Amino acid sequence: QSALTQPASVSGSPGQSITISCTGTSSDVGSYNLVSWYQQHPGKAPKLMIYEDSKRPSGISNRFSGSKSVNTASLTISGLQAEDEADYYCCSYAGSTTWVFGGGTKLTVL
Amino acid sequence: QVQLVESGGGVVQPGRSLRLSCTASGFTFSDYGMHWVRQAPGKGLEWVAVISYDGNYKYYADSVKGRFTISRDNSMNTLYLQMDSLSAEDTAVYYCAKEDTNSSFSFDYWGQGTLVTVSS
């Protein structure tokens, strides 16, 4: 149950697009189409942004999109807005009814 | 609207026990699996445990297996986490999270968290 690998930080200017990567292994990210992404503002609970690699829950802006290639999942945020500044975590089902999170990425909107 | 409210956190000495609760409302609690996820101060999220909708199946992260017990009381719409043999490494905010309505493999609602501090 090793944590998935995310960059510690990414940044972008308003209106730009950024992508956050999430690298796992063939035992987790690569085995299932079950990566989810969470946004967490300081002092707040996480919020589901993407599930099953690329699906958006109701109410989530289409500026947020997810994708996956082999063992690496990605979250792309287009048209960056100041309110997108937060920590982002990926999470993958890891088999045997266990889950594993990434270490988190701090997004700074310049 | 869905609400999850954790309670029971506090300061506890190493080696002691603590029980967390999570009271649910706004959805049919007995229809969904429930999870505990924790976050050490300044650190990332860590999945801790899951319990099936009926309480018959329980699974744990290796880091807590044998020390933590997840349970639920569907008549009380309440989820529990019994934490024994606590150590400093268990210091964290503990969140309860509901199994996603659209996918059993993500978490669509979270509580506000309860802080557990293990310190002498």
Side-chain angles (χ1 to χ4, degrees), chain B residues 99-117:
Chain B
E99 174 186 279
D100 185 5
T101 299
N102 295 309
S103 167
S104 299
F105 299 92
S106 47
F107 324 117
D108 59 356
Y109 289 94
W110 299 61
Q112 85 289 350
T114 187
L115 176 62
V116 173
T117 302

Side-chain angles (χ1 to χ4, degrees), chain B residues 1-6 20-36 50-56 70-81 96-101 108-109 111:
Chain B
Q1 70 282 20
V2 172
Q3 276 200 310
L4 298 170
V5 179
E6 301 95 337
L20 306 182
S21 300
C22 168
T23 302
S25 61
F27 66 103
T28 305
F29 181 69
S30 57
D31 282 352
Y32 293 94
M34 294 293 296
H35 299 256
W36 287 99
V50 61
I51 186 168
S52 61
Y53 69 98
D54 57 4
N56 287 338
I70 190 172
S71 62
R72 65 191 297 160
D73 183 340
N74 285 344
S75 69
M76 299 286 290
N77 287 351
T78 303
L79 174 73
Y80 301 101
L81 186 67
C96 62
K98 171 186 165 291
E99 174 186 279
D100 185 5
T101 299
D108 59 356
Y109 289 94

Side-chain angles (χ1 to χ4, degrees), chain A residues 2-86:
Chain A
S2 298
L4 307 176
T5 300
Q6 297 181 234
S9 63
V10 298
S11 63
S13 300
Q16 289 186 330
S17 295
I18 63 94
T19 296
I20 300 171
S21 62
C22 168
T23 301
T25 70
S26 58
S27 297
D28 39 58
V29 174
S31 281
Y32 312 95
N33 295 323
L34 295 173
V35 172
S36 51
W37 288 90
Y38 301 86
Q39 175 192 67
Q40 186 180 36
H41 287 108
K44 302 295 187 182
K47 176 182 179 181
L48 177 64
M49 306 303 286
I50 295 287
Y51 68 98
E52 292 181 0
D53 291 356
S54 60
K55 298 177 181 178
R56 268 190 315 275
S58 174
I60 299 301
S61 170
N62 59 9
R63 298 187 299 105
F64 292 85
S65 62
S67 62
K68 193 182 75 174
S69 176
V70 191
N71 296 334
T72 298
S74 299
L75 174 71
T76 297
I77 308 174
S78 59
L80 266 181
Q81 299 178 0
E83 68 217 46
D84 299 332
E85 185 162 295

Side-chain angles (χ1 to χ4, degrees), chain A residues 1 38 40 45 52 89 97 99, chain B residues 39 62 95 103 105 107 111:
Chain A
Q1 295 179 345
Y38 301 86
Q40 186 180 36
E52 292 181 0
Y89 294 90
T97 322
W99 281 257
Chain B
Q39 185 170 34
D62 288 345
Y95 295 100
S103 167
F105 299 92
F107 324 117

